[in-house]
């Protein structure tokens, strides 16, 4: 509907601007608008490519240039340009939204950004013919500066910005219970998961030279203070934890793997290819293993194979399935101690093809599930793994692929790591008190009202933490205005086309009601793969606990939050333990995105 409304506005503007016989510009605009609607759908489904988004951005910025030239002509002719001004505003809003989405959707920290992404202009649009036609629009830029860095999630780069929040005290929590073999921390997109994981990497890793020899002169029993990583942490909160610094800083071989896939996965074979890429990049971080004298000839050959820029693509299944296990084993042998394993985006291996039939989708996902379960089985090996720390978004996508020794910390629950993924109330207020941001006219009260916090409750307890989306708050500080900066993507949102789900979401959005629901007991699903269900438009979602599945995913993805503490329910006939939750949409930003998705995906 919004797309049609925008097009009508363009049409009126162009009819005022061009002769009736000149329809080429109007046809071009119609095509651009149709393309944008299709791109918006692909963005919502999570199937968009970076190339398509960049192409659309160039087209729309070219349209802005054309419209601005016509405005200049109108001004010179003392003619009214109100409608063209409105058209420019609409296209500008769309350009800003698309540019923000590029950074929200894609990781471009290792790539050179196109110059047109860095353009930043405040355009004063005026109309000499009318007094009330004056307007000001801004084309926002994501060009990084000393205050912000939205193109990178690397701890070192974030540390250099004014918007940096010191979360290093999380490291103390990591070592409070070393009996636990590993943890998975779940949080929605852009809540600091990757930054925290790279922070752990720099804190834990043994820094080495090109031959794999430790750079520090300190022995294993002596605190390390002579490395570049030490300089990162020396003035941060964790540096005051003397025992942690002495025992753990720079003391571990670290296996760091990013499971985030470059493109959407449409089949089991594509998942295997992506796994090869992940193993290759993880081995590349330790290229010194190719010449390590502490490894056997065969182990050095395997390391060389995975580090090679082309040969790794020829790896057979048996080599892929033990790829990370081999790296973990080689690192442990090289350093003569078990590894600390860090894995980011654990739930990235999701089948994204919405055209796949239900039976095929389930079968493909079942194969991927079985593969991932074997792929990550090495986490259970205490000989090679000291501990693991991992991140992801969806509990249902992850549940069952990990060994039972790994704890899962869900986003909607209150746990020891809650305050480190997102912004706490105190951290939000601290940012707005910083001298660099004192010229912002928006108040903290207004920010809290619009980006209302996610409630984190401990089950059956009154204890509650509140967390804000760090991406949204930093964007407010950068652009100095309230806007809708955050959203989620993925084929899961195609479920909005189901008439039952659509009715529920419309009720939540329009009436601001709460939703009481019983969430099922996930432990009993450990042995079963849980495909990313796409309900048919007319399917009865109330069968097979599908509504609970849907709501659980919405909680994980940040689209719902608990309104009050969940209550445990014991089912006496089956000895199952479920819990009831009172859910609502967390804030206006999320409400706006749901409103956009409902008609777009229906």
């Amino acid at each position: 509907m919004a797309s049609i409304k925008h097009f009508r506005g363009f049409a009126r503007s162009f009819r005022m601007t061009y002769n009736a016989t000149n329809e080429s510009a109007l046809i071009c605009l119609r095509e651009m608008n149709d393309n944008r609607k299709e791109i918006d759908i692909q963005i919502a489904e999570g199937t968009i490519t970076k190339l398509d988004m960049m192409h659309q951005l160039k087209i729309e910025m070219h349209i802005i240039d054309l419209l601005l030239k016509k405005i200049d002509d109108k001004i010179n002719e003392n003619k009214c340009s109100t409608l063209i001004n409105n058209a420019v505003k609409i296209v500008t809003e769309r350009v800003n939204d698309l540019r923000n989405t590029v950074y929200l959707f894609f990781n471009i920290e290792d790539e050179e950004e196109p110059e047109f992404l860095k353009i930043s202009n405040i355009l004063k649009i005026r109309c000499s013919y009318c007094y009330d036609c004056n307007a000001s629009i801004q084309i926002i830029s994501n060009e990084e500066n000393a205050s912000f860095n939205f193109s990178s999630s690397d701890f070192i780069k974030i540390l250099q910005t004014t918007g940096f929040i010191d979360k290093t005290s999380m490291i103390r929590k990591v070592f409070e219970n070393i009996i636990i073999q590993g943890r998975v921390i779940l949080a929605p997109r852009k809540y600091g998961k990757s930054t925290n994981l790279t922070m752990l990497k720099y804190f834990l890793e043994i820094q080495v030279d090109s031959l794999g020899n430790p750079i520090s002169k300190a022995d294993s029993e002596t605190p390390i203070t002579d490395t570049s990583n030490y300089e990162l942490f020396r003035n941060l909160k964790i540096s005051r934890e003397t025992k942690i610094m002495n025992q753990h800083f720079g003391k571990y071989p670290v296996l760091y793997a990013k499971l985030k896939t470059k493109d959407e996965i449409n089949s089991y074979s594509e998942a295997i290819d992506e796994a090869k890429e992940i193993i290759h990049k993880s081995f590349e971080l330790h290229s010194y293993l190719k010449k390590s004298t502490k490894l056997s000839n065969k182990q050095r050959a395997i390391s060389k194979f995975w580090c090679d820029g082309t040969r790794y693509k020829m790896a057979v299944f048996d080599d892929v399935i033990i790829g990370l296990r081999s790296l973990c084993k080689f690192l442990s042998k090289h350093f003569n101690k078990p590894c600390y394993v860090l894995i980011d985006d654990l739930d990235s291996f999701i089948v994204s093809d919405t055209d796949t039939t239900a039976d095929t989708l389930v079968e493909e996902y079942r194969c991927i599930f079985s593969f991932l379960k074997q792929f990550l089985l090495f986490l259970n090996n205490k000989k090679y793994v000291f501990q693991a720390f991992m991140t992801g978004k969806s509990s249902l996508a992850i549940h069952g692929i990990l060994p039972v020794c790994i704890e899962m910390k869900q986003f909607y629950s209150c746990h020891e790591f809650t305050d480190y993924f997102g912004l706490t109330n105190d951290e939000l207020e601290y940012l707005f008190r910083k001298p660099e941001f004192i010229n912002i006219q928006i108040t903290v009260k207004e920010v809290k009202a619009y980006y209302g916090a996610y409630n984190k409750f401990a089950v059956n307890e009154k204890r509650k933490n509140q967390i804000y989306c760090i991406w949204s708050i930093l964007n407010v500080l950068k652009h100095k205005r309230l806007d809708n900066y955050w959203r989620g993507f993925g084929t899961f949102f195609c479920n909005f086309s189901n008439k039952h789900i659509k009715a529920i979401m419309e009720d939540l959005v329009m009436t601001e009601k709460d939703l009481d629901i019983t969430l099922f007991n996930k432990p009993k699903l450990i042995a079963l793969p849980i495909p990313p269900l796409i309900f048919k438009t007319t399917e009865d979602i109330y069968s097979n606990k599908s509504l609970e599945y849907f709501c659980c995913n919405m909680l994980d993805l940040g689209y719902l939050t608990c309104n009050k503490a969940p209550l445990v329910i014991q089912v006496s006939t089956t000895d199952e333990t479920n819990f009831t939750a009172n859910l609502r949409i967390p804030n206006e930003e999320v409400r706006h995105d749901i409103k956009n998705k409902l008609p777009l995906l229906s």
Side-chain angles (χ1 to χ4, degrees):
M1 184 63 71
S3 183
I4 294 173
K5 180 181 70 176
H6 287 174
F7 174 74
R8 288 172 181 164
F10 289 141
R12 286 195 294 269
S13 297
F14 268 82
R15 287 194 181 103
M16 286 188 63
T17 307
Y18 290 87
N19 295 329
T21 56
N22 186 353
E23 292 291 324
S24 59
L26 194 56
I27 292 172
C28 175
L29 197 62
R30 182 187 294 275
E31 290 176 352
M32 183 270 289
N33 206 60
D34 290 342
N35 289 343
R36 178 57 187 266
K37 183 177 181 181
E38 181 61 32
I39 279 178
D40 285 343
I41 292 173
Q42 291 175 358
I43 289 172
E45 294 175 346
T47 58
I48 189 70
T49 67
K50 191 185 303 182
L51 184 63
D52 287 341
M53 289 182 71
M54 295 298 187
H55 179 68
Q56 185 70 15
L57 264 174
K58 287 183 179 180
I59 291 174
E60 297 196 11
M61 293 184 76
H62 179 62
I63 292 290
I64 290 177
D65 287 339
L66 292 177
L67 289 172
L68 291 177
K69 289 176 182 177
K70 298 308 298 182
I71 290 174
D72 287 339
D73 292 342
K74 292 289 184 183
I75 291 173
N76 293 333
E77 297 169 5
N78 286 329
K79 293 181 179 179
C80 180
S81 56
T82 303
L83 291 179
I84 307 179
N85 289 352
N86 292 336
V88 174
K89 287 182 182 179
I90 291 170
V91 183
T92 302
E93 289 172 2
R94 288 160 53 134
V95 166
N96 290 341
D97 178 71
L98 200 56
R99 292 170 79 168
N100 178 65
T101 303
V102 170
Y103 287 84
L104 189 60
F105 197 101
F106 297 106
N107 186 354
I108 60 175
E109 58 187 289
D110 298 324
E111 305 173 18
E112 185 175 345
E113 300 174 44
E115 284 301 314
F116 69 85
L117 278 182
K118 301 179 181 180
I119 297 173
S120 180
N121 286 314
I122 297 179
L123 305 171
K124 299 292 183 180
I125 299 179
R126 59 190 178 85
C127 175
S128 58
Y129 188 76
C130 310
Y131 287 105
D132 58 350
C133 291
N134 296 328
S136 175
I137 63 171
Q138 180 179 8
I139 300 179
I140 63 173
S141 169
N142 281 308
E143 185 175 14
E144 312 305 351
N145 53 40
S147 295
F148 308 98
N149 190 326
F150 291 106
S151 63
S152 176
S153 56
D154 187 86
F155 175 73
I156 291 179
K157 294 180 180 179
I158 302 301
L159 179 61
Q160 298 168 6
T161 65
T162 309
F164 170 74
I165 293 291
D166 188 347
K167 299 274 191 181
T168 57
S169 53
M170 184 191 85
I171 298 169
R172 176 171 55 84
K173 296 289 184 182
V174 170
F175 290 104
E176 280 183 353
N177 190 351
I178 60 174
I179 297 176
I180 297 172
Q181 185 70 6
R183 304 176 180 89
V184 180
I185 310 297
L186 301 180
R189 185 187 299 270
K190 298 299 181 181
Y191 272 72
K193 299 187 298 296
S194 297
T195 301
N196 282 341
L197 214 63
T198 56
M199 174 186 73
L200 274 176
K201 175 181 178 292
Y202 294 126
F203 184 88
L204 297 168
E205 68 183 356
I206 300 171
Q207 282 191 273
V208 297
D209 59 22
S210 60
L211 298 177
N213 300 314
I215 291 174
S216 175
K217 304 301 181 184
D219 58 40
S220 59
E221 304 300 324
T222 308
I224 294 174
T225 59
D226 57 349
T227 64
S228 58
N229 281 355
Y230 176 76
E231 295 301 316
L232 298 176
F233 295 94
R234 65 180 302 176
N235 295 316
L236 300 180
K237 291 178 181 178
I238 192 61
S239 65
R240 298 193 287 270
E241 301 286 343
T242 305
K243 185 177 180 181
I244 297 292
M245 292 295 294
N246 292 349
Q247 292 183 358
H248 300 290
F249 175 73
K251 302 288 188 178
Y252 297 90
V254 172
L255 189 162
Y256 175 74
K258 296 178 69 171
L259 265 60
K260 186 174 181 62
T261 55
K262 186 180 298 184
D263 300 304
E264 70 272 10
I265 292 176
N266 295 324
S267 67
Y268 171 65
S269 61
E270 289 183 9
I272 300 300
D273 288 340
E274 288 291 345
K276 294 177 185 179
E277 191 74 26
I278 290 162
I279 299 167
H280 165 63
K281 290 181 177 179
S282 297
F283 261 94
E284 274 192 319
L285 296 175
H286 307 280
S287 58
Y288 53 84
L289 292 175
K290 296 183 294 183
K291 298 181 179 180
S292 173
T293 57
K294 299 176 182 178
L295 302 185
S296 67
N297 289 336
K298 182 178 180 181
Q299 290 169 339
R300 285 195 293 270
I302 292 172
S303 299
K304 189 174 182 179
F305 172 82
W306 281 114
C307 287
D308 189 281
T310 55
R311 288 178 61 208
Y312 75 91
K313 297 178 182 179
M314 306 302 293
V316 297
F317 177 82
D318 289 345
D319 293 331
V320 176
I321 206 74
I322 62 169
L324 291 184
R325 178 186 181 276
S326 297
L327 176 56
C328 193
K329 179 180 179 179
F330 299 169
L331 287 171
S332 297
K333 190 172 180 181
H334 179 84
F335 291 100
N336 195 31
K337 64 188 306 182
C339 286
Y340 210 106
V341 177
L342 304 174
I343 299 179
D344 200 10
D345 292 305
L346 196 58
D347 55 344
S348 290
F349 282 70
I350 299 296
V351 178
S352 303
D353 190 355
T354 54
D355 295 327
T356 304
T357 63
D359 291 341
T360 303
L361 179 66
V362 172
E363 184 56 35
E364 292 283 348
Y365 199 76
R366 191 182 300 274
C367 292
I368 294 174
F369 175 91
S370 177
F371 164 73
L372 289 175
K373 195 168 185 177
Q374 297 178 68
F375 189 59
L376 298 171
L377 192 61
F378 76 98
L379 296 172
N380 203 24
N381 191 324
K382 294 185 178 181
K383 180 179 179 181
Y384 301 133
V385 179
F386 173 76
Q387 207 172 41
F389 197 94
M390 297 167 281
T391 67
K393 294 185 289 292
S394 172
S395 59
L396 293 175
I398 293 172
H399 225 289
I401 66 174
L402 294 171
V404 293
C405 61
I406 305 297
E407 280 190 347
M408 186 182 296
K409 305 290 186 179
Q410 292 185 275
F411 178 63
Y412 58 80
S413 65
C414 186
H415 51 77
E416 66 269 33
F417 295 99
T418 291
D419 289 349
Y420 303 105
F421 293 84
L423 282 179
T424 65
N425 187 68
D426 289 343
E427 289 168 342
L428 187 154
E429 294 180 356
Y430 161 77
L431 280 174
F432 276 81
R433 288 196 304 268
K434 297 193 80 167
E436 294 86 351
F437 305 131
I438 58 174
N439 62 337
I440 294 177
Q441 302 301 313
I442 304 164
T443 66
V444 172
K445 184 177 180 180
E446 289 173 323
V447 170
K448 289 181 179 180
Y450 195 82
Y451 302 101
Y454 291 81
N455 297 321
K456 307 294 196 74
F457 293 96
V459 176
N460 279 353
E461 295 182 17
K462 294 182 179 180
R463 178 164 56 99
K464 178 178 79 171
N465 289 33
Q466 290 189 308
I467 293 294
Y468 294 86
C469 177
I470 191 168
W471 175 267
S472 301
I473 304 306
L474 290 178
N475 269 283
V476 170
L477 291 171
K478 178 172 183 177
H479 303 303
K480 301 179 177 60
R481 59 191 175 93
L482 299 179
D483 209 335
N484 304 299
Y485 301 106
W486 180 90
R487 66 182 66 88
F489 316 99
T491 51
F492 172 76
F493 292 105
C494 294
N495 290 315
F496 283 3
S497 64
N498 179 277
K499 63 179 182 179
H500 302 290
I501 289 179
K502 183 178 181 181
I504 291 170
M505 296 311 299
E506 285 179 338
D507 202 31
L508 287 172
V509 167
M510 302 304 178
T511 64
E512 300 188 18
K513 288 184 178 179
D514 298 336
L515 176 66
D516 289 313
I517 193 164
T518 300
L519 298 179
F520 51 74
N521 179 31
K522 288 181 288 301
K524 69 178 183 178
L525 299 171
I526 285 178
L528 299 173
I530 307 173
L533 295 177
I534 303 298
F535 305 118
K536 296 178 181 178
T537 303
T538 58
E539 183 179 348
D540 182 2
I541 65 165
Y542 297 104
S543 61
N544 300 321
K545 296 186 179 293
S546 297
L547 181 59
E548 288 88 342
Y549 171 95
F550 174 79
C551 289
C552 190
N553 264 291
M554 292 289 279
L555 279 167
D556 285 341
L557 298 175
Y559 277 78
L560 292 174
T561 189
C562 293
N563 202 33
K564 53 189 177 183
L567 299 175
V568 169
I569 297 177
Q570 191 74 33
V571 184
S572 57
T573 55
T574 60
D575 291 327
E576 292 180 14
T577 302
N578 299 328
F579 65 90
T580 61
N582 180 253
L583 309 178
R584 64 174 175 83
I585 295 172
N587 55 52
E588 291 305 312
E589 184 178 45
V590 174
R591 190 182 306 278
H592 178 271
D593 188 42
I594 294 174
K595 283 182 179 179
N596 282 348
K597 280 186 169 69
L598 283 171
L600 197 64
L601 299 175
S602 296

